[in-house]
Amino acid sequence: MLPQTTGRESAGDGRKSVSYYDRKPVVSERPPQIPLPGSHSKLVNTLVASSGTAKLPESGNQRLTKLLLNVTIQRSPGPVQVVISAESTVSDLIKAAVETYVREGRRALLTEIDPLAYELHYSQFSLDSLDTTAKLGNLGSRNFFLCSKPQNEVNTWSNQATKASKGPVL
């Protein structure tokens, strides 16, 4: 009679095959921990020691030189992105946004490409337009809405006369 096998023994050499559950965990050595600096001065010292020289900008003297602004133009499906100096004015941003919109060939086509025909708002729900001489770095926003200036009715004597001749509206 043949000895009964459990299916874990190999056929020829008498050794058992190793299953997933029979394995013993392999203990590997952990890589050495890199010490993390606890303060800013330790970080600077670490950088200087590793590279020889390290110059970090002083946090009090950092000034933005360029801004990435999103300008949504009226009837346009998406905003135009403009990179412009923080010292530029609102009128400079209007001019750059109109030029970028035309250069990219966006749709809906603008009825007027003169930057003086447009005014800039914080959003499409803002009634007040921004002052054209205001610096962009002082506005506190990076998203704007550009729309055409409203066509004001010209008050002339003839317009007033025709309104008066029609009489009161009941």
Side-chain angles (χ1 to χ4, degrees):
M1 184 165 165
L2 294 173
Q4 292 183 349
T5 60
T6 60
R8 299 175 89 189
E9 297 175 347
S10 64
D13 58 0
R15 289 183 297 165
K16 293 183 179 179
S17 63
V18 179
S19 71
Y20 177 77
Y21 296 103
D22 290 337
R23 290 186 184 180
K24 293 182 181 176
V26 177
V27 179
S28 64
E29 293 184 26
R30 295 178 68 185
Q33 293 280 333
I34 299 173
L36 297 176
S39 67
H40 179 69
S41 62
K42 287 182 182 178
L43 176 63
V44 171
N45 292 337
T46 305
L47 288 174
V48 170
S50 65
S51 66
T53 60
K55 291 190 177 187
L56 296 176
E58 296 177 17
S59 60
N61 294 335
Q62 289 181 347
R63 298 286 299 165
L64 294 175
T65 58
K66 297 278 185 174
L67 301 173
L68 175 63
L69 304 176
N70 294 321
V71 180
T72 302
I73 297 178
Q74 188 177 17
R75 296 186 315 268
S76 173
V80 173
Q81 292 186 333
V82 178
V83 176
I84 195 165
S85 170
E87 297 301 319
S88 298
T89 62
V90 169
S91 61
D92 296 333
L93 177 60
I94 293 171
K95 181 179 178 184
V98 170
E99 287 174 356
T100 303
Y101 192 87
V102 171
R103 183 175 8 107
E104 291 178 357
R106 296 216 182 184
R107 304 285 187 221
L109 295 175
L110 297 177
T111 57
E112 183 69 42
I113 59 170
D114 182 22
L116 297 176
Y118 296 97
E119 56 186 20
L120 196 68
H121 297 261
Y122 279 116
S123 75
Q124 63 184 5
F125 306 108
S126 175
L127 297 176
D128 296 329
S129 64
L130 298 171
D131 181 24
T132 57
T133 60
K135 300 282 184 186
L136 296 175
N138 300 334
L139 293 179
S141 178
R142 302 293 178 253
N143 300 313
F144 299 99
F145 182 74
L146 185 73
C147 63
S148 58
K149 288 182 179 177
Q151 298 296 326
N152 293 333
E153 191 174 318
V154 179
N155 290 328
T156 61
W157 289 105
S158 62
N159 284 344
Q160 292 176 0
T162 54
K163 288 180 184 176
S165 67
K166 290 181 182 177
V169 177
L170 299 174

